[in-house]
Amino acid sequence: MKQEQLVLQERPNGLPNKDTFQFKKVEVAEPAENEVLLKTLYVSVDPYMRGRMSDAPSYAEPFEAGAPLVGGNVSQVMKSNSDQFTSGDLVTGNLDFQEYNVVKADKVRKVRTNGLSPSNALSVLGMPSLTAYFGMMHIGEPKEGETVVVSGAAGAVGQVAGQLAKKAGARVVGIVGSEEKAKYITETLGYDAAVEYKKGNVSEQLKETCPDGIDVYYENVGGDISDAVWPLLNVFARVPVCGAISAYNLEEGEKDIGLRVQQFLIKSRVKMQGLLVGDFAEHYDEAYQVLEEAVSNGELKFEETIHDGFHAIPDAFLGLFSGENIGKQLVKVADAE
C-alpha cells in the first residue's frame, strides 16, 4: 500500500517556501514483533521546527534533507504486534510526517481523551501546555497582586500561560497581533488587558497597561517587543524564555541585534531562564493533573486552529509566522475508524 510523506527538500534561507518541502509516495511497512502500525489523525506544527530545518548547532538534532519532517502526532493503532496496544487505540508521540507510521511500541503512549477530541493531546493536554505550565509556575512563579506579561498571548503556549498566572492571583497583560486576538485573550481567557503590537508604540502601550511595572515576563517572541519590556521589569522580576519567534526566519548573515539587556537584569536583579519542556520530565504527572482537572471542569479555556488534509501541512506551518492561528495550530489528516 502506498502513502504520502512530507520531506525536507532543502534547508531554507530565511522564511521557508514551496522549495523547502516535497511530498513523496512511499510504501507502508508491516509491523514486526513489538511494533505497531499507526494511522495519522492529527499532526502538530510548531515554531521550534524552523530551527530544526537549519543544520546550525542546537539543542535538538536537525531534520535531514530528503528525510521526513518529524513532529507531534496523534494516531490510531491499525495493527499491533505488542501487548501494550490493541487495534483502535489512540496514541501520541513524535513521529514522521506521513499518513502511516510503523514504530516500536515504546515510541508512543496512549491518549487519555476523557471524551475530548484526540487533537487536544497535541494542544491543551500536550507539549504547549506543559511548556506553559513549567515556564510560568516553575520559573515565573507568579504571586497574588503581581503583574505578568505574556508575549504571543493568543498562541498555543501563551493562551495557557496567562490563565495559569490569573489562577495564581496575578494581573495579566497579553501582547498580541490583532484586535481579534486582543478580544480573545481578554473576553475568553480572562486577561486583564491586551497590547496590540501592530498598532505600534509598544512601549507606551505597556506603560499604560502595566503602571506598576512588570514582575513576570513570559517570553515567546523576542525582538522589538521584548526590548519594550526590559525597562519596565521590577526588582526581582522573573523571565521564563520559551521562544523568540521574531528571529527564527533570519536570512544568512542577518543578525538579531536589539537592546542590551544586561543593565536591566543587573539593576532589577532579574532571573531570566530558558526552558525546554523535557527538562521537567520528573514533574509531568504534576502538570498533567493540574491541566486535566482544569480542562475537565471548564476552568481552562483554549482554541485550536485546524487545517484539513495532509497537503495542508506546509501552509499551516508557514501560518505560524504570519500570526494566522489562534491557539494551537494543527492539521487534521484523517478521521478515526
Side-chain angles (χ1 to χ4, degrees):
M1 180 171 71
K2 292 281 190 180
Q3 63 164 331
E4 286 200 288
Q5 69 177 195
L6 179 62
V7 305
L8 180 66
Q9 180 170 248
E10 63 179 35
R11 301 196 186 281
N13 178 21
L15 186 68
N17 57 38
K18 61 181 178 62
D19 295 323
T20 305
F21 309 98
Q22 182 183 12
F23 290 96
K24 285 187 175 180
K25 290 278 190 180
V26 296
E27 289 287 339
V28 177
E30 281 293 319
E33 183 178 358
N34 202 36
E35 291 185 336
V36 288
L37 169 64
L38 307 174
K39 176 186 178 182
T40 302
L41 304 182
Y42 292 91
V43 298
S44 171
V45 291
D46 298 280
Y48 79 86
M49 294 170 61
R50 175 60 184 86
R52 296 190 67 186
M53 292 178 183
S54 166
D55 58 2
S58 184
Y59 62 85
E61 289 292 317
F63 295 135
E64 293 183 31
L69 299 176
V70 179
N73 176 305
V74 168
S75 293
Q76 185 174 32
V77 176
M78 305 306 292
K79 188 181 296 184
S80 176
N81 289 335
S82 165
D83 57 9
Q84 295 184 50
F85 302 105
T86 59
S87 180
D89 283 346
L90 298 180
V91 298
T92 185
N94 280 326
L95 303 174
D96 289 350
F97 276 18
Q98 52 193 38
E99 293 176 293
Y100 293 87
N101 277 283
V102 173
V103 298
K104 293 289 187 182
D106 62 2
K107 293 296 184 183
V108 293
R109 64 175 178 84
K110 286 186 180 180
V111 170
R112 298 180 294 188
T113 60
N114 295 324
L116 299 173
S117 168
S119 63
N120 296 164
L122 297 173
S123 61
V124 71
L125 297 178
M127 181 269 290
S129 287
L130 291 177
T131 304
Y133 180 85
F134 295 126
M136 185 60 74
M137 306 312 296
H138 282 239
I139 299 175
E141 299 181 315
K143 300 174 181 62
E144 187 168 357
E146 290 189 326
T147 296
V148 174
V149 171
V150 180
S151 58
V157 174
Q159 66 176 350
V160 175
Q163 291 180 85
L164 292 172
K166 280 295 296 181
K167 186 177 181 181
R171 181 175 182 275
V172 185
V173 177
I175 303 176
V176 295
S178 70
E179 184 178 352
E180 178 188 13
K181 291 180 178 181
K183 287 182 178 179
Y184 170 62
I185 67 170
T186 55
E187 297 178 6
T188 301
L189 304 184
Y191 273 70
D192 294 284
V195 169
E196 295 180 47
Y197 69 85
K198 290 184 179 178
K199 285 185 174 180
N201 212 334
V202 174
S203 294
E204 287 303 314
Q205 291 189 65
L206 281 171
K207 288 176 184 177
E208 291 176 8
T209 55
C210 305
D212 298 320
I214 297 170
D215 300 292
V216 179
Y217 173 49
Y218 198 106
E219 168 72 291
N220 283 309
V221 173
D224 294 342
I225 289 173
S226 295
D227 287 348
V229 171
W230 309 135
L232 300 179
L233 292 176
N234 288 332
V235 172
F236 299 122
R238 289 81 68 198
V239 182
V241 182
C242 171
I245 195 171
S246 66
Y248 288 174
N249 291 305
L250 295 178
E251 296 184 4
E252 186 175 350
E254 189 178 0
K255 302 295 184 183
D256 182 29
I257 302 297
L259 199 63
R260 305 293 187 189
V261 302
Q262 288 89 338
Q263 59 175 315
F264 303 105
L265 303 185
I266 294 168
K267 180 189 71 174
S268 297
R269 285 84 86 199
V270 175
K271 179 178 80 171
M272 186 175 186
Q273 180 178 334
L275 72 136
L276 300 177
V277 70
D279 296 339
F280 299 88
E282 64 187 74
H283 299 287
Y284 280 3
D285 287 343
E286 165 201 328
Y288 277 123
Q289 182 176 346
V290 171
L291 295 168
E292 288 176 351
E293 181 179 344
V295 172
S296 65
N297 65 23
E299 181 181 332
L300 187 61
K301 311 296 183 183
F302 63 96
E303 286 288 339
E304 297 172 343
T305 299
I306 300 179
H307 293 243
D308 192 48
F310 190 74
H311 277 255
I313 295 174
D315 286 341
F317 174 70
L318 294 175
L320 294 169
F321 303 102
S322 61
E324 74 160 36
N325 61 297
I326 292 182
K328 183 73 190 77
Q329 187 90 311
L330 298 166
V331 177
K332 182 178 180 180
V333 177
D335 291 312
E337 296 185 8

